[in-house]
Amino acid sequence: MKVTVQTPNFAADGKLIDFIEKKLNKLEQFYDRIIFADVFLKVQKTSEKENKSVEILLSVPGGDMIVKKEARTFEAGTDECIQSLERQLKKRKEKLRAHA
């Protein structure tokens, strides 16, 4: 799976990019037909502590999945997105099995 991480207005460090790529690669054990993942990391200009926005677009046959979460850290936001995508991928796989 090809992973693209975009960080407008700031530079993400290598550790964060590696963390995100490892997490996304784990999704392939739930669904093996993921084409690519686009990750957008943004820092919201607010006074709130949960100002890190993580948006993941997962391209899979039959329609893309988009998940967006806000958290205190990019790692926490990524974890929440991955959990949500995991559930969606499992559902999609079950639907495909039901039609097969």
Side-chain angles (χ1 to χ4, degrees), residues 1 24 27 34 36-38 56-60 63-66 85 89:
M1 164 184 21
L24 282 166
L27 287 175
I34 299 169
F36 66 84
D38 269 338
I56 300 177
L57 167 90
L58 212 57
S59 181
V60 291
D64 296 346
M65 298 177 175
I66 298 176
L85 285 166
L89 288 169

Coordinates of all heavy atoms in Angstrom, one line a residue, residues 1 24 27 34 36-38 56-60 63-66 85 89:
M1 N 0.8 -1.2 0.0 CA 0.0 0.0 0.0 C 0.9 1.2 0.0 O 1.9 1.3 0.7 CB -0.9 0.0 1.2 CG -1.5 1.3 1.5 SD -2.5 1.5 3.0 CE -2.1 0.2 4.1
L24 N -1.0 2.1 9.5 CA -1.8 1.9 8.3 C -1.5 0.6 7.7 O -2.4 -0.1 7.2 CB -1.5 3.0 7.3 CG -2.2 4.3 7.6 CD1 -1.6 5.5 6.8 CD2 -3.7 4.2 7.3
L27 N -3.5 -2.3 8.8 CA -4.9 -2.5 8.3 C -5.0 -3.5 7.2 O -6.1 -4.1 7.0 CB -5.4 -1.1 7.7 CG -5.7 0.0 8.7 CD1 -6.1 1.3 8.0 CD2 -6.9 -0.5 9.6
I34 N -6.4 -2.7 -0.2 CA -6.3 -1.3 0.0 C -5.3 -0.8 -1.1 O -4.2 -1.4 -1.3 CB -5.7 -1.0 1.4 CG1 -6.7 -1.5 2.4 CG2 -5.5 0.5 1.5 CD1 -6.2 -1.4 3.9
F36 N -4.3 2.7 -1.7 CA -3.4 3.7 -1.1 C -4.1 4.4 0.1 O -5.3 4.3 0.2 CB -2.9 4.7 -2.1 CG -3.9 5.6 -2.6 CD1 -4.3 6.8 -1.9 CD2 -4.5 5.4 -3.9 CE1 -5.3 7.6 -2.5 CE2 -5.5 6.2 -4.4 CZ -5.9 7.4 -3.7
A37 N -3.3 5.1 0.9 CA -3.8 5.9 2.0 C -3.2 7.3 1.9 O -2.0 7.5 1.7 CB -3.4 5.3 3.3
D38 N -4.1 8.3 2.0 CA -3.6 9.7 2.1 C -3.9 10.2 3.5 O -5.0 10.0 4.0 CB -4.4 10.6 1.1 CG -3.8 10.7 -0.3 OD1 -2.5 10.5 -0.3 OD2 -4.5 11.0 -1.2
I56 N -7.7 10.7 7.4 CA -7.2 9.6 6.6 C -8.2 9.2 5.5 O -9.3 8.9 5.8 CB -6.8 8.3 7.4 CG1 -5.8 8.7 8.5 CG2 -6.3 7.2 6.5 CD1 -5.5 7.6 9.4
L57 N -7.7 9.2 4.2 CA -8.5 8.8 3.1 C -7.9 7.5 2.7 O -6.7 7.4 2.3 CB -8.4 9.8 2.0 CG -8.9 9.3 0.6 CD1 -10.4 9.6 0.5 CD2 -8.2 9.9 -0.5
L58 N -8.7 6.4 2.7 CA -8.3 5.1 2.4 C -8.9 4.7 1.0 O -10.2 4.8 0.9 CB -8.7 4.1 3.4 CG -7.8 2.9 3.7 CD1 -6.4 3.3 4.0 CD2 -8.4 2.1 4.8
S59 N -8.1 4.5 0.0 CA -8.7 4.1 -1.3 C -8.8 2.6 -1.4 O -7.8 1.9 -1.3 CB -7.8 4.7 -2.4 OG -8.4 4.4 -3.6
V60 N -10.0 2.1 -1.5 CA -10.3 0.7 -1.7 C -11.3 0.5 -2.9 O -12.1 1.4 -3.1 CB -10.9 0.0 -0.4 CG1 -9.8 0.0 0.7 CG2 -12.1 0.8 0.1
G63 N -15.2 2.2 -3.5 CA -15.4 3.4 -2.8 C -14.4 3.7 -1.7 O -14.0 2.8 -1.0
D64 N -14.0 5.0 -1.6 CA -13.0 5.4 -0.6 C -13.7 5.6 0.7 O -14.9 5.8 0.9 CB -12.4 6.8 -1.0 CG -11.6 6.6 -2.4 OD1 -11.4 5.5 -2.8 OD2 -11.3 7.7 -2.9
M65 N -12.8 5.5 1.8 CA -13.3 5.7 3.1 C -12.5 6.9 3.7 O -11.3 7.0 3.5 CB -12.9 4.5 4.0 CG -13.6 3.2 3.6 SD -13.0 1.8 4.6 CE -14.0 0.5 4.0
I66 N -13.2 7.8 4.3 CA -12.6 8.9 4.9 C -12.9 9.0 6.4 O -14.1 8.9 6.8 CB -13.0 10.2 4.3 CG1 -12.6 10.2 2.8 CG2 -12.4 11.4 5.0 CD1 -13.1 11.4 2.0
L85 N -11.3 2.9 11.0 CA -11.1 2.3 9.7 C -11.1 0.8 9.8 O -11.6 0.1 8.9 CB -9.8 2.8 9.0 CG -9.8 4.2 8.5 CD1 -8.4 4.7 8.2 CD2 -10.6 4.3 7.2
L89 N -13.5 -1.6 7.6 CA -12.9 -2.6 6.7 C -13.4 -4.0 7.0 O -13.7 -4.7 6.1 CB -11.4 -2.6 6.8 CG -10.7 -1.4 6.1 CD1 -9.2 -1.3 6.5 CD2 -10.8 -1.4 4.6

